[in-house]
Amino acid sequence: MIRNDFYTPEVQGAYQLHGLGDFTLEEGGTIPDLQVAYATYGTLNEDKSNAILIPTWFSGTHQTWELAYIGEGRALDPTKYFIVVVNQIGNGLSTSPHNTDGPVAMSKFPKVRIGDDVRAQEQLLREVFGIERLALVVGGSMGAQQTYEWAVRFPDKVLRAAPIAGTAQNTPHDWLFTQTLLDAITSDPGFNGGEYSSHTEVTDGLARHADIWCVLGLSTEFWKTEFWRGITLPPDVSFSTMIEFRDNFVRGVFQAMDPNALLVMGWKWQHGDVARNTGGDLSAALGRITAKTFVLPIDEDMFFPVRDCRAEQEQIKGSELRVLPSIAGHFGLFGFEQTYLAAVDAALTDLLNTQV
């Protein structure tokens, strides 16, 4: 195992682990004693009707949801709902290449699919909380992929669904974009075929990975208007130049992460496709959704553009498209803008108030 302080409770906030036993994967192979990391907010009511599930996105953990989206008086209000944020397999907190040993450690970690995450989450909710039905599944980016998978794979268990800034079936452009992210890491000699002894040995590859995010994860308008000048990070860190923002925020975040964890999540993202449940027929897959669904793309998102999200939304019976505003593009998910957060809260409030 490799210790990485980025994935400790001191950095990410408190979380719990639940063991699912030996977990067989859709691509073949098994993760021995799969540990799923999760955090909960609020109290589950007696009839278990107030449960909300949030799956995490690429590189993300439960912490961003806690800091940016969950709070009293918000749509995701822990005084009203029991909110479970589950860290996806391979994200650094749940079982991942660097925090396990034995036959699946490091470069030997098997391929994991979106469907594996959803099956693991369903088992977790059932075993730990006895939850059989969810008032809402909501997630951003890769969390949106998992939201769609939930609604297609377990239609009787999902009353409402809100995929944010993500698609049900990954597009060719998105596959290529993701591949550049992965190649940036593996091209670093320090990666050593996935058998490095510390993430710091892959610093250059992680920096190149971060720079690609600067180009496509953040919009052209974000850079042109110098929106980054208004972003302050704890403890009161601000930025005086574009390069300083790149180095201290974008590179700083990704260079703290485990390279193999990013590769596991990236492959999973590339191969996200709910049509696997219906023999490759996307329309048939989306036609299985019975949840009241709000599809929530971000207007400046360059790799999950509104047109791609709309094309899928139009195939979901009774669904609605609500476009979220964010000059930050895909990174609007971090909640830099109150206008974006207000739009998310408004959409989720409407969805939760919809009788189903």
Side-chain angles (χ1 to χ4, degrees):
M1 294 187 187
I2 295 177
R3 178 175 173 80
N4 184 325
D5 289 339
F6 180 77
Y7 300 111
T8 61
E10 290 75 20
V11 174
Q12 297 300 331
Y15 61 89
Q16 296 172 279
L17 291 170
H18 177 66
L20 299 181
D22 294 350
F23 194 84
T24 302
L25 301 168
E26 293 181 0
E27 282 293 296
T30 300
I31 297 178
D33 188 29
L34 174 61
Q35 299 289 313
V36 177
Y38 68 95
T40 65
Y41 311 87
T43 302
L44 186 63
N45 60 16
E46 188 173 350
D47 64 2
K48 301 181 181 181
S49 63
N50 69 334
I52 292 175
L53 171 69
I54 303 174
T56 57
W57 57 62
F58 179 85
S59 81
T61 71
H62 60 282
Q63 186 183 60
T64 302
W65 285 93
E66 178 180 352
L67 296 177
Y69 293 89
I70 297 170
E72 187 171 353
R74 305 284 302 280
L76 301 175
D77 188 336
T79 68
K80 296 172 61 178
Y81 300 105
F82 179 63
I83 302 164
V84 186
V85 187
V86 182
N87 292 276
Q88 64 172 285
I89 300 167
N91 84 327
L93 299 182
S94 294
T95 297
S96 303
H98 77 280
N99 67 12
T100 189
D101 53 19
V104 297
M106 299 297 283
S107 65
K108 299 183 289 294
F109 204 82
K111 295 289 189 293
V112 182
R113 282 193 175 270
I114 295 292
D116 295 318
D117 277 298
V118 170
R119 290 188 300 111
Q121 292 157 16
E122 191 274 339
Q123 184 179 341
L124 166 74
L125 293 172
R126 212 170 6 89
E127 290 183 351
V128 178
F129 305 109
I131 294 172
E132 296 285 354
R133 180 172 286 188
L134 293 159
L136 170 68
V137 182
V138 54
S141 195
M142 280 189 75
Q145 291 180 307
Q146 293 165 78
T147 298
Y148 276 119
E149 184 76 21
W150 260 98
V152 170
R153 185 180 287 254
F154 298 117
D156 294 339
K157 291 178 177 284
V158 183
L159 295 178
R160 302 171 188 84
I164 305 172
T167 55
Q169 185 180 71
N170 209 22
T171 65
H173 173 266
D174 210 60
W175 191 97
L176 290 166
F177 164 63
T178 313
Q179 191 62 46
T180 65
L181 291 170
L182 307 185
D183 290 345
I185 293 172
T186 58
S187 64
D188 189 328
F191 179 68
N192 191 31
E195 294 297 331
Y196 48 85
S197 59
S198 168
H199 69 284
T200 58
E201 296 175 5
V202 198
T203 294
D204 290 345
L206 290 170
R208 289 193 292 271
H209 177 97
D211 290 353
I212 297 167
W213 279 110
C214 285
V215 174
L216 277 174
L218 290 157
S219 75
T220 56
E221 286 298 298
F222 177 90
W223 296 110
K224 186 168 68 174
T225 63
E226 298 188 339
F227 186 86
W228 48 266
R229 289 189 183 275
I231 296 175
T232 301
L233 302 177
D236 298 326
V237 175
S238 57
F239 312 96
S240 57
T241 68
M242 176 182 73
I243 298 303
E244 194 174 90
F245 178 81
R246 181 202 67 181
D247 291 349
N248 295 342
F249 177 68
V250 187
R251 283 188 176 184
V253 169
F254 281 105
Q255 286 180 310
M257 295 180 186
D258 180 75
N260 277 325
L262 294 173
L263 295 180
V264 169
M265 289 183 284
W267 188 93
K268 192 192 308 181
W269 165 10
Q270 280 184 306
H271 295 84
D273 183 5
V274 297
R276 295 182 71 250
N277 293 282
T278 51
D281 188 332
L282 178 61
S283 294
L286 296 175
R288 293 180 60 179
I289 296 175
T290 58
K292 178 61 179 178
T293 302
F294 281 11
V295 175
L296 308 173
I298 294 175
D299 57 1
E300 292 282 348
D301 195 332
M302 288 194 282
F303 52 95
F304 291 114
V306 173
R307 61 180 174 272
D308 289 345
C309 298
R310 178 185 289 112
E312 294 180 343
Q313 175 266 321
E314 290 174 346
Q315 300 179 67
I316 302 171
K317 185 178 179 180
S319 65
E320 297 183 28
L321 183 78
R322 304 236 182 149
V323 180
L324 304 172
S326 175
I327 197 172
H330 195 69
F331 272 23
L333 286 165
F334 283 100
F336 296 136
E337 302 142 285
Q338 286 303 313
T339 49
Y340 163 82
L341 292 172
V344 173
D345 277 346
L348 294 183
T349 297
D350 286 351
L351 181 55
L352 285 163
N353 286 338
T354 301
Q355 295 299 311
V356 292

